[in-house]
Amino acid sequence: MANVNGTTLSSSPAPGASASSARTTTIAAIGQHVDQRVMLRGWLYNLRASGKLLFPIFRDGTGTIQGIVPKAEVPEPVFETLKSLTLESSLTVTGRVRADHRAPSGFELDVEDLSVIQRVPEETPYPIQLKEAGVDFLMEHRHLWIRTPRQSAILRVRATIMRAAAEYFDTHGFTRTDPPILTPNACEGTSELFEMDYFDDGKAYLTQSGQLYMEATAMALGRVYSFGPTFRAEKSKTRRHLTEFWMIEPEVTYMDLDGLMHLAECFLTHIVRRVLELHTPDLKTIGKDVTKLEAVIAGAATEDKGECKGAGSGFPRLSYDQAHAMLIDAHQRGLLETVHRYGDDFGSPDETYISSQFAKPVMVHRYPAEVKAFYMQPDPLDPSKALCVDVLAPEGYGEIIGGSQRVDDYDLLERRIRAHNLPMAAFQWYLDLRRYGSVPHSGFGMGIERCVAWICGLEHVRETIPFARTLNRIYP
Ligand code: 4AD
Ligand code: MG
């Protein structure tokens, strides 16, 4: 492929007079090449012209950088090609890196040469322009929308959240065990199941949570976790609900609710710390106020030495009763429109209000057993309450983690299965866990997308996953 300057393009080292001494690099690593000649491989993200000067912005998947192209200083074909180049055309560009504290990234590129790989035809211009487009249009073009710097930054933060989440368990004695995705029964309520035909066995369902299987692997291995896609045929059209989302679920034997809350606190502290370490520039691109995240880990020990001791940063804990009282008080003071009815689960506005009262995630524990899942252990001090916890993220983000101590008594579990009208035959293997060496155990699940929405400060979970699946969207 011929480049604009009349030389030939191949993979590095790039031949041709102007490119010969240029090192191929990425925009993320450009700071290591100040005053050197580099080659970038990417796309034309934006182009501004001002008389005899062109200001292209290039992107390469790791970031964006502005180029400067003075007509008098580059070969004419370079200037002319760039001047009429369509947005998102793919290209390689060679130039000299200059540190410039006024540039958003801190660097600019004095362009010397470029080579167009594919020119976007004028007749079919890139549909996503830099000006505002409606969310429906953007979601319809999600495969292209993810190229914009803000969306790319979110996906990078998501990747780090997923890595940090797994890393926490990997370094704290947990074994990752993968539960099946095709399951014979429900875990979290039968009304939200995706159903399918399964050969001669009748029906199968996409998993809502790996929890029940994690309880089995925990009895084999002690501390386990799973990490994978989960599915809810949710009919809810909210900013928090997806029909397909990723959940990470630890399960630990001989752990009670207190231990579980401590684990959740250490786990979230680790994730926030990693994101702050690695993504402060991305968070700036996204528009997140990082002081809000710094407040979450304030006071946390810097190292938890693999034991999750003293590593937490003091997340507030509220019982359901205390949270209820807080909501009633807020209503009476005119801060909350709705009136929370004692005994009911919290609605979105309730969770939003509670979480907005704290700078750190708040752990609400001991909900009425009636509004919670069948497998939750009753509180011995008040059996009408479940030994469960919902972790509500700050800034009004609401529930990101749900967990509990599990029923470990055979007879009680059997009664619960019956009372919830669940098919007893499908749960025999689960009951076996209480037949053969039952022990107290606890676990939780965190939805990655809820966590990303909170950490990045996003209004809607649809931007937290490359291709969101919601009630009314399965394209692209
Ligand atoms: O509270 P949930 O339903 O709990 C469970 O599934 C337990 N079996 C987990 C366990 O104890 N191992 O879901 C756990 C988390 C929620 O706190 C939320 O973060 C996320 O999963 N989640 C969703 N995220 C996006 N869209 C949805 N429709 C979600 N439903 C739950
Ligand atoms: Mg929940």
Side-chain angles (χ1 to χ4, degrees):
M1 189 176 292
N3 69 359
V4 176
N5 212 7
T7 53
T8 309
L9 174 76
S10 68
S11 53
S12 64
S18 65
S20 59
S21 57
R23 281 274 287 276
T24 302
T25 187
T26 62
I27 294 170
I30 210 122
Q32 297 159 24
H33 300 279
V34 175
D35 296 330
Q36 294 170 13
R37 301 182 57 240
V38 298
M39 178 190 264
L40 296 172
R41 302 185 287 196
W43 296 263
L44 180 65
Y45 171 63
N46 192 18
L47 181 66
R48 201 158 53 79
S50 165
K52 295 193 153 79
L53 263 180
L54 298 178
F55 298 100
I57 296 179
F58 303 110
R59 62 169 197 91
D60 74 346
T62 72
T64 59
I65 189 168
Q66 173 160 287
I68 312 286
V69 192
K71 190 170 166 60
E73 284 169 39
V74 294
E76 198 178 330
V78 172
F79 190 87
E80 292 305 321
T81 300
L82 192 57
K83 196 175 144 193
S84 65
L85 197 57
T86 40
L87 296 190
E88 284 300 313
S89 289
S90 46
L91 48 78
T92 63
V93 56
T94 310
R96 197 171 284 275
V97 181
R98 189 161 33 72
D100 186 330
H101 68 273
R102 292 161 307 177
S105 67
F107 306 98
E108 283 188 340
L109 189 71
D110 290 323
V111 173
E112 294 176 355
D113 196 4
L114 92 148
S115 193
V116 176
I117 310 293
Q118 188 249 335
R119 186 190 168 87
V120 174
E122 249 101 38
E123 314 80 68
T124 54
Y126 185 64
I128 298 184
Q129 300 304 321
L130 299 174
K131 62 178 164 35
E132 289 284 299
V135 153
D136 280 342
F137 179 86
L138 292 171
M139 286 306 290
E140 196 70 11
H141 294 84
R142 182 64 177 165
H143 51 297
L144 302 177
W145 188 24
I146 50 179
R147 299 182 183 194
T148 55
R150 184 165 181 275
Q151 296 302 317
S152 299
I154 293 167
L155 296 184
R156 279 192 293 270
V157 174
R158 172 190 170 91
T160 290
I161 289 172
M162 293 177 95
R163 191 168 60 242
E167 177 182 73
Y168 186 82
F169 296 126
D170 288 338
T171 53
H172 287 78
F174 286 71
T175 302
R176 178 170 175 163
T177 56
D178 305 310
I181 287 174
L182 295 176
T183 61
N185 54 272
C187 177
E188 293 295 324
T190 45
S191 62
E192 296 171 1
L193 277 172
F194 279 111
E195 188 185 280
M196 75 193 71
D197 293 327
Y198 198 76
F199 308 114
D200 297 336
D201 282 349
K203 299 292 177 197
Y205 310 94
L206 292 179
T207 183
Q208 300 172 305
S209 157
Q211 179 198 322
L212 306 186
Y213 295 96
M214 289 304 100
E215 290 183 54
T217 58
M219 296 303 152
L221 297 154
R223 295 177 151 217
V224 296
Y225 77 99
S226 68
F227 199 179
T230 48
F231 306 85
R232 305 269 166 111
E234 298 259 13
K235 289 273 158 54
S236 29
K237 222 177 121 185
T238 78
R239 61 194 183 91
R240 296 174 183 178
H241 289 93
L242 295 167
T243 51
E244 176 181 322
F245 61 99
W246 283 67
M247 193 163 13
I248 187 158
E249 301 182 83
E251 192 71 32
V252 189
T253 51
Y254 296 102
M255 181 175 267
D256 63 9
L257 179 62
D258 263 351
L260 189 71
M261 289 198 273
H262 186 61
L263 178 66
E265 180 172 325
C266 296
F267 168 71
L268 285 173
T269 301
H270 177 74
I271 292 174
V272 171
R273 180 177 288 137
R274 270 280 183 273
V275 170
L276 282 170
E277 263 168 30
L278 300 171
H279 292 285
T280 303
D282 278 331
L283 292 169
K284 203 172 142 201
T285 302
I286 296 163
K288 172 78 178 191
D289 175 0
V290 294
T291 61
K292 296 264 169 42
L293 294 177
E294 284 158 1
V296 169
I297 57 168
T302 48
E303 254 271 43
D304 70 11
K305 306 209 168 54
E307 267 304 309
C308 185
K309 283 200 179 107
S313 53
F315 292 180
R317 293 171 193 201
L318 281 182
S319 66
Y320 171 91
D321 286 9
Q322 289 169 318
H324 167 75
M326 194 173 192
L327 293 172
I328 294 301
D329 178 63
H331 177 73
Q332 282 165 355
R333 290 194 292 136
L335 301 172
L336 188 64
E337 223 171 273
T338 49
V339 194
H340 183 252
R341 237 188 38 205
Y342 188 83
D344 284 358
D345 203 349
F346 300 126
S348 274
D350 302 326
E351 284 187 355
T352 300
Y353 179 80
I354 298 166
S355 63
S356 66
Q357 300 305 298
F358 301 93
K360 292 175 187 267
V362 48
M363 313 221 190
V364 184
H365 55 85
R366 295 178 170 79
Y367 285 63
E370 258 186 43
V371 300
K372 289 291 183 186
F374 76 96
Y375 51 70
M376 292 185 179
Q377 177 80 7
D379 184 353
L381 299 177
D382 174 3
S384 74
K385 299 281 168 43
L387 290 177
C388 65
V389 60
D390 276 9
V391 182
L392 312 182
E395 301 173 66
Y397 275 91
E399 180 194 339
I400 52 170
I401 286 182
S404 75
Q405 201 170 316
R406 321 302 191 188
V407 171
D408 53 47
D409 178 70
Y410 181 93
D411 294 329
L412 176 57
L413 185 61
E414 194 180 43
R415 285 202 300 277
R416 285 286 181 81
I417 292 171
R418 214 180 298 285
H420 281 78
N421 286 320
L422 295 167
M424 197 57 77
F427 282 91
Q428 284 309 310
W429 70 268
Y430 188 60
L431 281 162
D432 269 355
L433 307 177
R434 279 75 180 168
R435 270 191 197 104
Y436 304 112
S438 189
V439 301
H441 61 290
S442 301
F444 66 72
M446 181 179 81
I448 290 296
E449 293 72 21
R450 298 260 183 104
C451 182
V452 174
W454 158 52
I455 286 184
C456 292
L458 309 177
E459 215 174 284
H460 200 292
V461 286
R462 67 184 157 224
E463 287 181 54
T464 63
I465 184 164
F467 297 96
R469 294 290 168 251
T470 54
L471 185 55
N472 45 20
R473 177 165 297 284
I474 197 162
Y475 176 92

